[in-house]
Amino acid sequence: MCGIFFSLVPKSKSASNDSEDFGKYTSAGLQLEKALKRRGPDCYNTIVLDINTNDDNESQQLTFFSTVLSMRDPLTPQPLQSPEGRILQFNGEIYDAVGELEGYRSDLLGDDAVCKNDTAVLSQMFERFGVIQTLQSIRGEYAFVYYDILSRCIWWARDCIGRRSLLVNRSRKDCIALSSLPVPDPVLRTDWREVPAGEVYKFDLRIMDIEVISWSYELCGSLKYPYVPIYLDISVTQHSYDTLVTEFSSTLLAAVRRRVLAIHHSRSKADTYAILFSGGIDCTLLAYLTAITLRDHNAHVDLLNVAFENPRIGGGYDTPDRILGRQSWQELRSLPGLQSSQCDFRFVEINVPYTQVLECKSRVQDLMFPKDSVMDFSIALAFFFAARGFGTMFTSPVADPVEEYTTSSRVLISGLGADELFAGYTRHGTSFARGGYEALANELALDFGRLHERNLGRDDRVGAHWGKEFRYPYLDEEFVDFALRCPLDSKLRVRGSAKEGKWLLRQFARVIGLYQVAEEKKRAIQFGARSAKMEAGKGKIRGTDKII
């Protein structure tokens, strides 16, 4: 996880030439710099360029400030500047390269240790193949800003799903600011917006104009999505269902392996991995597949389970997700397929007193902006404290707890995407009841298409506050392609008057022996952890209400 800040301002409007004072454009530079350093605590740097953009000798100042959370050797400082003067700011992971770039990336990763870092690899790919061809040929989660000195163009984008945060401020035609985080000042951040996923932006400094290159499902587009539109077929034969379950497990396992084995540890002690763990089917399957991936490794998998003291409801920390989390942890431990594994599960109870919620309220609101609803805040709270990873750790249900434990994993595996791809929400059943499978398909397409705006940017900003990186196996491009091709009847099954969402996940859970997990119903994290509606005496509050 890295932090990105970029600004372009006319030289006459830049308040200072001091390279450390990058934030004068926003009038909140020191606060933003501090917040970005929390995302990338390993190193940081600033590059400031003064350039003439046209024949009138009008001067522009470009400021690049980056912070780095180093996930693999060698540590590669950012912004990364090539000998020719190209500059790259990159936040993300590249798991695969396809086509012509696959061989090129393999060559780079051979004997040249300098190129093992994704940022260095991507910089050289941009230089050799150009931005568009490179983006078409890589798979992974990212946001970037790239300055091509030869063409005098600034490029920026999020990946086509939107798994990393990037915001833009273009309140003036002659100024641009881009950042992983919004400005902390509520007055000054009103002009900041999330960069949409599915679009790549090219700003030509010579004519001061922006070109937008959109991802498309059609061949006529400059960029073609690496997955298909949602498949509208309803059902397949029983034999094909069995095949689907097998394909589901192998494709999801490959997605987990890409994200788990790309985590680099010191080999001096057992490695630690972490999963955001409510005990529901999405995260429990990921925990199982992580353990399968690491079965021959001396490794620990921390199951991070968060619960809130809710004065409106009471009941302490035995929340629905805490109870379910313990049950699912024990069911995982009992699976015959994991008995010989060198990898073990540890259950981490993260208890959040109401006083801590009040102390962190303004910080969470800053991080989640431009999201500003009551529901967004309750979800952001849960991810904020879960990502911190601080709590009480249990190595087994009968062992003494380890107090004051903080997970050492810098990567948190998340189950986001399973509900949107496999009809996990109540509204999916409602859509089906109103309009059949066609209505369900439309609802699923809507949900998947707005993940970047509703969930991913917010979650990235909140979790990265602790120097942690979220990774999403269900949103792996290969797995998404498989999921969108699946018949609708393998997502929502109708048996009599009952509707069973995420049928394919539940069937896989039954195959591997997670019978209890397979029967659990969907529960939103803000209700399972009780981070929603904490204040007594406030009357009826809707999730869509704006935070006061």
Side-chain angles (χ1 to χ4, degrees), residues 95 250-263 289-290 292-295 297 413 471 473:
Y95 302 113
S250 61
T251 309
L252 185 58
L253 175 60
V256 170
R257 287 177 59 84
R258 275 189 278 273
R259 283 150 183 81
V260 168
L261 297 181
I263 302 173
L289 293 173
T290 298
I292 291 294
T293 298
L294 300 172
R295 65 188 312 157
H297 295 69
I413 303 297
R471 294 186 182 176

Side-chain angles (χ1 to χ4, degrees), residues 89-236:
Q89 299 173 279
F90 178 70
N91 171 29
E93 303 289 337
I94 301 174
Y95 302 113
D96 299 291
V98 297
E100 184 180 2
L101 299 194
E102 185 173 18
Y104 182 66
R105 178 173 166 86
S106 298
D107 291 342
L108 288 178
L109 293 175
D111 298 325
D112 190 353
V114 175
C115 292
K116 289 183 179 178
N117 183 278
D118 280 351
T119 307
V121 171
L122 187 65
S123 177
Q124 295 191 30
M125 287 179 171
F126 279 166
E127 181 177 349
R128 177 166 174 176
F129 299 101
V131 173
I132 296 301
Q133 186 180 354
T134 298
L135 295 182
Q136 186 69 80
S137 302
I138 62 174
R139 301 290 181 265
E141 43 221 30
Y142 56 79
F144 72 88
V145 176
Y146 178 63
Y147 172 51
D148 187 343
I149 191 172
L150 297 183
S151 65
R152 292 295 180 95
C153 290
I154 304 290
W155 296 79
W156 67 88
R158 299 163 70 187
D159 67 73
C160 59
I161 298 176
R163 290 160 289 185
R164 292 288 178 265
S165 171
L166 190 64
L167 297 100
V168 62
N169 181 345
R170 189 133 193 251
S171 54
R172 299 177 58 100
K173 186 176 181 180
D174 57 352
C175 299
I176 294 176
L178 296 157
S179 179
S180 301
L181 293 173
V183 177
D185 191 312
V187 176
L188 297 172
R189 70 184 177 210
T190 55
D191 293 319
W192 289 82
R193 299 290 182 268
E194 287 192 294
V195 173
E199 295 181 347
V200 178
Y201 294 82
K202 176 185 178 182
F203 184 80
D204 192 327
L205 292 166
R206 295 166 298 185
I207 59 175
M208 302 295 286
D209 194 27
I210 292 180
E211 178 185 1
V212 181
I213 300 98
S214 297
W215 290 82
S216 170
Y217 286 112
E218 306 297 332
L219 288 173
C220 60
S222 297
L223 284 163
K224 188 174 185 297
Y225 281 117
Y227 39 81
V228 298
I230 190 167
Y231 193 53
L232 293 177
D233 191 19
I234 295 177
S235 62
V236 292

Side-chain angles (χ1 to χ4, degrees), residues 403-415:
E403 303 284 354
E404 302 291 310
Y405 173 78
T406 303
T407 185
S408 61
S409 179
R410 288 182 156 193
V411 169
L412 307 180
I413 303 297
S414 167

Side-chain angles (χ1 to χ4, degrees), residues 180-455:
S180 301
L181 293 173
V183 177
D185 191 312
V187 176
L188 297 172
R189 70 184 177 210
T190 55
D191 293 319
W192 289 82
R193 299 290 182 268
E194 287 192 294
V195 173
E199 295 181 347
V200 178
Y201 294 82
K202 176 185 178 182
F203 184 80
D204 192 327
L205 292 166
R206 295 166 298 185
I207 59 175
M208 302 295 286
D209 194 27
I210 292 180
E211 178 185 1
V212 181
I213 300 98
S214 297
W215 290 82
S216 170
Y217 286 112
E218 306 297 332
L219 288 173
C220 60
S222 297
L223 284 163
K224 188 174 185 297
Y225 281 117
Y227 39 81
V228 298
I230 190 167
Y231 193 53
L232 293 177
D233 191 19
I234 295 177
S235 62
V236 292
T237 65
Q238 182 61 47
H239 174 73
S240 296
Y241 279 130
D242 296 337
T243 303
L244 270 179
V245 173
T246 300
E247 189 176 355
F248 170 90
S249 62
S250 61
T251 309
L252 185 58
L253 175 60
V256 170
R257 287 177 59 84
R258 275 189 278 273
R259 283 150 183 81
V260 168
L261 297 181
I263 302 173
H264 294 259
H265 299 274
S266 166
R267 295 296 172 182
S268 60
K269 58 182 180 180
D271 298 338
T272 300
Y273 303 78
I275 295 175
L276 300 172
F277 191 76
S278 66
I281 189 168
D282 309 338
C283 59
T284 304
L285 290 182
L286 295 182
Y288 168 79
L289 293 173
T290 298
I292 291 294
T293 298
L294 300 172
R295 65 188 312 157
D296 297 326
H297 295 69
N298 180 23
H300 305 299
V301 178
D302 288 343
L303 307 177
L304 307 180
N305 183 279
V306 64
F308 288 80
E309 177 191 24
N310 190 317
R312 188 180 67 86
I313 298 175
Y317 297 111
D318 280 333
T319 63
D321 277 2
R322 176 59 48 78
I323 295 169
L324 178 60
R326 290 172 183 153
Q327 293 173 351
S328 299
W329 170 45
Q330 294 194 44
E331 192 170 23
L332 276 169
R333 286 169 48 86
S334 67
L335 290 179
L338 297 179
Q339 295 305 306
S340 60
S341 173
Q342 296 184 44
C343 170
D344 67 320
F345 294 111
R346 305 189 299 194
F347 193 71
V348 182
E349 296 188 355
I350 300 169
N351 296 331
V352 185
Y354 183 59
T355 53
Q356 284 193 16
V357 172
L358 297 178
E359 291 170 3
C360 296
K361 181 176 181 178
S362 62
R363 185 185 303 175
V364 174
Q365 289 176 339
D366 288 342
L367 292 168
M368 73 185 217
F369 183 87
K371 308 305 293 180
D372 60 359
S373 72
V374 170
M375 180 178 67
D376 281 302
F377 177 67
S378 61
I379 295 171
L381 266 180
F383 284 128
F384 180 81
F385 285 102
R388 184 174 63 164
F390 172 77
T392 301
M393 186 263 285
F394 295 82
T395 57
S396 77
V398 296
D400 293 333
V402 177
E403 303 284 354
E404 302 291 310
Y405 173 78
T406 303
T407 185
S408 61
S409 179
R410 288 182 156 193
V411 169
L412 307 180
I413 303 297
S414 167
L416 183 67
D419 289 305
E420 291 77 8
L421 290 168
F422 289 96
Y425 294 120
T426 301
R427 65 174 176 272
H428 294 140
T430 302
S431 294
F432 174 80
R434 290 174 177 171
Y437 279 112
E438 183 177 354
L440 173 63
N442 292 333
E443 188 73 20
L444 289 172
L446 176 66
D447 278 350
F448 177 69
R450 63 188 180 186
L451 266 173
H452 68 102
E453 190 274 331
R454 293 190 63 167
N455 303 82

Side-chain angles (χ1 to χ4, degrees), residues 64-95:
F64 305 82
F65 176 76
S66 294
T67 65
V68 176
L69 175 71
S70 183
M71 302 301 297
R72 65 187 69 193
D73 294 330
L75 172 63
T76 302
Q78 292 195 45
L80 182 63
Q81 188 168 21
S82 73
E84 298 79 16
R86 298 178 176 90
I87 297 174
L88 175 62
Q89 299 173 279
F90 178 70
N91 171 29
E93 303 289 337
I94 301 174
Y95 302 113

